[in-house]
Amino acid sequence: MRSLEIAVFMCRSDNYGVLVHEPESGKTVSIDAPDGEKVMAEAEQRGWTITDIFTTHHHKDHVDGNLVIKEKYDCRIVGPIEEAVVIPGLDLAVFEGDELEFAGHKVEVIETPGHTAGHICYHFVEDGLLFAADTLFAMGCGRLFERPASDMWPSLQKLMALPDETEVYFGHEYTLANAKFALTIDPDNAVLKERAEAVAELREAGGFTIPTTIGLEKKTNPFLRVADPAIRKGLGMEDASDAEVLAEIRKRKDNF
């Protein structure tokens, strides 16, 4: 398998821009397009030509650059079929189980409704890469704007089922705030405490907290740990369903 190069950079106030480049073919995919000028500047600085945009969902801070990038590069724009009418410049609508090919690399489409009704994630299967946008963050998950926790929980379960070593690239730099909140839900988690301290130091130094891994999130992300007895006891929800616990944790985060 030919190796991929990944560039991560800041866009807007807290969005991550991500470019994935395959050197032999010269192909480059932008994961979403938060800011067209920033994305194109990053590509040009590296001498990369954007051939694709993989759109995860319709929110403006993820599609704002679609058309300006397409105008310059005549790139292919892929996005979720459930949001096809609101994805600017969409060429290919995809859904659960679809497989894309990017420069010889297999990319699996995973539908993850919750944050939006049609949110999808892109899983580069052999490369062990997941581009999760606003479904899964480091120690967090997306706000439930368009679907309830009963839909988000199965979405998160799909991601939890991926190999623990899978690297997760998320859409926003929310990690420090997420860590502080996670400690209010899971205060006795030694791994979480250690991670929160490391994140605080990293952010103080101006570092990025991306990527994370599925395995680390399963140990430290309260939104994935809804079955944990200590968390349930702390919430007074020992007999609740997993989705009900997720809903309560998300409600608390929204008001944190």
Side-chain angles (χ1 to χ4, degrees):
M1 178 61 63
R2 295 173 294 189
S3 62
L4 297 172
E5 298 176 18
I6 301 177
V8 178
F9 49 98
M10 296 307 301
C11 289
R12 306 172 77 96
S13 61
D14 54 34
N15 281 75
Y16 275 122
V18 180
L19 294 174
V20 182
H21 178 71
E22 197 287 301
E24 187 174 325
S25 67
K27 290 186 175 182
T28 303
V29 58
S30 179
I31 307 299
D32 289 325
D35 180 321
E37 297 302 327
K38 286 277 185 69
V39 172
M40 291 189 296
E42 186 71 25
E44 288 170 15
Q45 177 185 328
R46 295 170 178 272
W48 297 352
T49 297
I50 298 174
T51 54
D52 299 89
I53 298 173
F54 288 175
T55 302
T56 61
H57 65 294
H58 69 86
H59 284 165
K60 180 178 173 62
D61 62 325
H62 290 259
V63 303
D64 208 29
N66 277 20
L67 296 182
V68 68
I69 296 173
K70 186 169 187 173
E71 182 178 1
K72 180 175 178 63
Y73 292 107
D74 192 28
C75 58
R76 176 183 66 161
I77 299 180
V78 181
I81 194 168
E82 292 294 329
E83 300 178 3
V85 296
V86 288
I87 303 294
L90 186 70
D91 296 300
L92 177 63
V94 293
F95 53 89
E96 177 78 21
D98 274 355
E99 286 187 1
L100 301 168
E101 186 272 337
F102 172 73
H105 296 251
K106 184 170 74 173
V107 183
E108 177 187 22
V109 175
I110 305 174
E111 289 184 350
T112 56
H115 181 64
T116 66
H119 196 299
I120 60 176
C121 299
Y122 295 93
H123 179 215
F124 284 60
V125 180
E126 290 94 347
D127 304 281
L129 302 172
L130 176 71
F131 297 94
D134 290 4
T135 293
L136 180 65
F137 295 113
M139 293 174 282
C141 77
R143 284 179 179 262
L144 304 180
F145 286 125
E146 297 181 12
R147 286 292 183 267
S150 56
D151 287 343
M152 180 61 122
W153 178 237
S155 297
L156 294 176
Q157 286 181 298
K158 291 179 188 179
L159 304 187
M160 291 168 67
L162 297 176
D164 282 355
E165 62 271 19
T166 303
E167 292 187 352
V168 181
Y169 288 80
F170 42 88
H172 294 268
E173 181 50 71
Y174 295 157
T175 308
L176 184 58
N178 286 347
K180 291 176 180 178
F181 171 73
L183 288 168
T184 71
I185 300 296
D186 199 7
D188 298 323
N189 184 332
V191 179
L192 173 58
K193 290 179 182 178
E194 183 178 351
R195 186 182 186 192
E197 291 175 2
V199 163
E201 292 177 4
L202 183 60
R203 292 302 294 152
E204 179 68 23
F208 293 169
T209 63
I210 192 172
T212 181
T213 65
I214 291 294
L216 183 57
E217 293 312 304
K218 284 159 68 172
K219 293 177 181 177
T220 58
N221 189 327
F223 296 96
L224 304 187
R225 292 171 48 74
V226 297
D228 183 83
I231 289 178
R232 285 170 163 263
K233 184 177 181 181
L235 297 172
M237 300 182 73
E238 291 95 328
D239 299 321
S241 70
D242 289 342
E244 288 170 338
V245 176
L246 176 65
E248 176 62 22
I249 296 174
R250 185 63 253 181
K251 176 183 171 184
R252 294 187 182 208
K253 179 63 169 66
D254 291 345
N255 296 312
F256 183 64

